Amino acid sequence: MKWITKLLTSSLGQKLIMSLTGIFLILFLIVHLVGNLQLLAHDNGESFNIYAAFMSHNPFIRVISIGLYAFILLHSIQGIALWLTNRKAKGGHSSKGKVAGADWSSRNMALLGVLIFAFLCIHMGDFWVKMRFTDSLPLVNYPGHEGAVEDIFSRVHVAFQNIWIVIIYVVGVIALAFHLVHGFQSAFQTLGLNHKKYTPLIKGIGWLYAILFPLGFAILPLYHYFNL
Amino acid sequence: MKELDGKVPPGPMAEKWEHYKSTIPLVSPNNKRRLDVIVVGTGLAGASAAATFGELGYNVKCFTFHDSPRRAHSIAAQGGINAAKNYQNDGDSVHRLFYDTIKGGDYRSREGNVHRLAEVSTAIIDQCVAQGVPFAREYGGLLENRSFGGVQVSRTFYARGQTGQQLLLGAYQALSRQISLGTVEMFNRHEMMDIVTIDGKARGIIARNLLTGKLERYGAHCVVLATGGYGNVYYLSTNAMGCNVSASWRAVRRGAYMANPCFTQIHPTCIPVSGDYQSKLTLMSESLRNDGRVWVPKNKADVEPIRSRKILPSSLKEEDRDYFLERRYPAFGNLVPRDVASRAAKMVCDDGFGVNGTGLAVFLDFDSAIMRYGKSDANAKGMHDADDATIRKFGEAKVAELYGNLFEMYEKITGENPYQTPMMIYPAIHYTMGGLWVDYNLETNIPGLFALGECNFSDHGANRLGASALMQGLADGYFVIPYTIGTFLANDIRTPRIDTNRDEFAASEKSVYDRMIQIMSVKGNQSVENFHRKLGHIMWNYCGMARNAEGLQKAISDVRALREEFYKDVFVPGTENEFNPELEKAYRVADFLEMGELIIRDALNRNESCGGHFREEYQTPEGEALRNDEEYTYVAAWEWTDTKTDPVLHKEELKFEAVELKTRSYK
Amino acid sequence: MKLTLHIWRQRSSKEKGSFETYAVTANEHMSFLEMLDVLNQELIEAKKEPVAFEHDCREGICGACSMVINGRPHGPVKGTTTCQVHMRHYKDGDHIWIEPFRAQSFPVIRDLVVDRSSFDRIIQSGGFISVNTGQAVDANSIPIEKDQAGEAMDAASCIGCGACVAACPNGSAMLFTAAKVSHLALMPQGAIENERRVQAMVEQMDKEGFGKCSNTYACEAECPKEISVLHIARLNRSYFKSMLTSK
């Protein structure tokens, strides 16, 4: 099994970890947004609360979500480790001027990552901790649904009345957008999936994804703030 | 004066090498492990030799003054490498390559060596392909060829305009492999300062570690020099800034003979000089003459408007242009050998037809090639009545495919777009055919001291054909020296490792040190660059494309005066015990100041015109070179260990068995 | 034109360096290095230490010249080495900042001269085809598809200058390493030992302390031979495949 250590500690192996966890997180965002779009439903949170209950009690989802947390941590820790070694490799000097090629987001992935991580901490503390580890959320019953579920919808709605929370969310998803602009296609390049014919397509999808999904996430707090 | 023996083996020309190879004494593998070989230089010849010695099992120490073996100036060769593969089925053969090279060299090279070169040329291509050299290919996946000056077949293999780079990287990679295997110990940033001889045999070198300035001693059973040519004696040349004669010249000062130093090649297609600050000249590959047509205005009246671009070159009418190469040499046209093309360009410029501000440039025009290629491409696409603009578009695309990187380079340097206006070119020093005298084994007259590639004299006579330098460097390194070194080393298997504590090493190191101190302590007022530039002016003006006795006499005293001035007024900053590029330049220029004089003396001695050596006194009424086979069919090998006395001439008679001595004609 | 140069001066890797300012007069036909020659000539005449910089062929192929000009390795012209940059790209009164290639694996030797022997060691670790002189078969017995040979040539045109490392915000040598892996992998005669080669070269690259590629593509943008990051993808592919499938 020595080869696995050799693979995962090599520079390419470390990048592989970034790429695979990154792709997983990209996929997660799809599910996350699709589910959360139910926050836009005018049903006093019925569909969203039932969905949230399902997500937090289904054993399969629970296993997956543990994996998700692990991957977020792995992606973050590995990212910081790469940033530190790369800074050292550069020799501690920055040149007077700017190189061509490297766009802003590609040069600032670590900064963007830290911003996103900080946002995640707030985000999780706001909803997920309250939902999982406290009993502070009131229970509601819905006809046609067995048992009471926690009313996370109302909690979200209340939270998004606070302009500061809305700003934090909007800033968080903007950071996410820039992170994705580079990260999406970079994940494919790291895996070696670069081809003259297909890469423009990957890059195009990456751009679309990096704009549409953060936009989707940004709509949620704004929607509630402005009571649309 | 001594009669030198080239030691060419007996027998019919085509069988000499094959037969000789099987009679050279061998060194057994267990003895090879006990023998040390020093290789100085890592260009095509040095890197290929060092790698091959390593593969054979010798202990190799390899030296370069560069930061990496890959920077040697072989890297800059553009056009290609010749080989008698006859893949094009156009009548090529070993004999034809041999004949073309002898004729191209104006019958001043050694037949035996040249035939061997032609024989091994095919194996070089095989070897390079096996190493992964990405030569140009046809759609069927097989190798493509093109044509070069002085020949009527297509035998040149190429990798875009970067053939030298690709071949050198092949050799560098082979060398790197041996370094990783431990058979070759590589010394980067180490410059050879002296040869150490013990009992008359070359047994080591003194090298200067260029990072620390320390002198270091290295012993070996024999020493192989592959240190390139001396074109930089002219200051402005197509050579790299670091190219120098010092390794060869230090060998000369230890008793090695310098052969035919006046045979210097002037390449017709270089970008003209633009000003005094200029540090080097840039070559435009000879392959351009496959498609480019060389011309100047036919009428004096058009010269001035063309120079000031009041008339655009592209708009001058066909009948007002003088395609002087096509006019004078209808059989070979623009593809005459380099010496002929250069001289023709000089003549039209001397007559006042030069096309740039300095009057020292001619046009190289791709317009007809663009239209020709465009037409055939349009036809291939079924567009038989395409308009000129379309044809031009197709043609430019084809020309870009063939020469794109050269066109780009031209535009970068001159700021002019060669697709729209013809290139301007002028001859410049490019290669030196002369070099250390070696016998058939590539051994100099100092036993155990060998010379390969451009730094020896043997294969190109008085003029080298295009794409033959790469061929010779690799032939010497891969396929000749690995065999012929046996003639020396087989007798040395009982010689123990050379002890570098011996007096000879100490004495040599001291003389190197003293010489550096002598230069450092002048503390005058002029930079080394100044002296180099002045030397270049003398050499180019009196010993360049055209030479005469009077000028050469004057040049000797000018060079001597300059040399004296150097030791009185040169200023070298810094100290000798550190990284000091100015000091490196200084001791190299000091050697050029001696070598320059020898070149001039050789030119003065050779009362004939042949190849790159054109003496104005010896020419036909049409201005062609006039050889004197009666008196000068010999190699002039000069002995000059001490500049206080005059150099001594030794001769090696050149005997022609397989080729008949004829007046070279490309008409 | 009159220019103000801010040049990095540093005696050795052990000593600290700093920018010093010089005034120089140049004309538009000069190459960038010829402009520095002019400066050095003036410094020598004033009995001062000239600026050390690496250079040799001055025609863009040897890979010796290595300086960062206003933040860009080899200066402002795309696909061009420093020696081929001409002063017509500058104008009277310009300030030009000149520094060495910056990377931990390229220690400064003097001023603008750095030690790039780490590149040699990467090649020595496997950047070759293991064939001895004389073992070769006839050249035309290995046909190679024209476009593929062209792609190999694209990768092989690397001049080993190190601009990719200098350009990379991470000081990564991936483009250099990938170019060699890719060149040899694209030729049938080189594909044979591709697995071993790619592992050995990546290992050596890591050992030299180069940074880790994060796909910023600055290398491709600044490479004087415009070598594509497609080759880095090929290296990644080859590496993972070889690590996962080799015995």
Side-chain angles (χ1 to χ4, degrees), chain B residues 333-350:
Chain B
N334 292 296
L335 274 178
V336 289
R338 293 172 177 178
D339 55 335
V340 178
S342 295
R343 215 149 41 232
K346 180 183 184 322
M347 283 171 72
V348 293
C349 289
D350 287 352

Side-chain angles (χ1 to χ4, degrees), chain B residues 170 204 295 448 518 657:
Chain B
W295 65 274
Q518 185 195 358
E657 304 166 18

Side-chain angles (χ1 to χ4, degrees), chain B residues 52 55 66 68 71 85 87 126 129 132 141 160 166 172-173 189 241-242 279-280 412-413 524 527 578, chain C residues 11 34 41 47 54 56-59 62 79-80 88 110 120 133 138-139 144 154 156 180 183 189:
Chain B
T52 308
E55 289 161 9
H66 284 112
S68 163
R71 310 247 189 260
K85 280 285 197 186
Y87 281 158
D126 299 341
V129 167
R160 296 203 186 133
Q166 293 311 312
Y172 160 72
Q173 286 163 204
R189 297 193 194 267
M241 304 301 284
S279 58
K280 80 154 268 157
K412 271 177 199 165
I413 294 172
S527 70
E578 61 175 335
Chain C
R11 288 293 299 173
E34 283 165 353
Q41 189 70 20
K47 310 267 153 121
E54 202 122 48
D56 197 29
C57 77
R58 298 207 176 184
E59 46 187 281
C62 75
T80 305
R88 71 180 79 93
R110 168 83 59 86
D120 278 339
T133 305
D138 183 82
I144 304 173
D154 289 341
K180 189 44 66 191
H183 156 218
Q189 60 272 48

Side-chain angles (χ1 to χ4, degrees), chain B residues 513-568:
Chain B
Y513 183 75
D514 291 348
R515 189 166 155 260
M516 281 198 305
I517 294 300
Q518 185 195 358
I519 295 172
M520 293 291 307
S521 54
V522 174
K523 298 277 175 227
N525 289 311
Q526 290 186 58
S527 70
V528 175
E529 206 70 16
N530 267 351
F531 287 98
H532 196 180
R533 195 176 275 130
K534 283 184 198 164
L535 174 67
H537 276 298
I538 300 172
M539 296 303 296
W540 181 248
N541 289 339
Y542 299 109
C543 200
M545 266 190 287
R547 306 154 178 188
N548 62 54
E550 195 189 339
L552 291 167
Q553 293 284 11
K554 178 172 177 346
I556 290 178
S557 53
D558 285 0
V559 170
R560 287 192 157 179
L562 188 64
R563 201 160 65 213
E564 262 176 47
E565 194 186 339
F566 178 85
Y567 287 101
K568 280 190 196 130

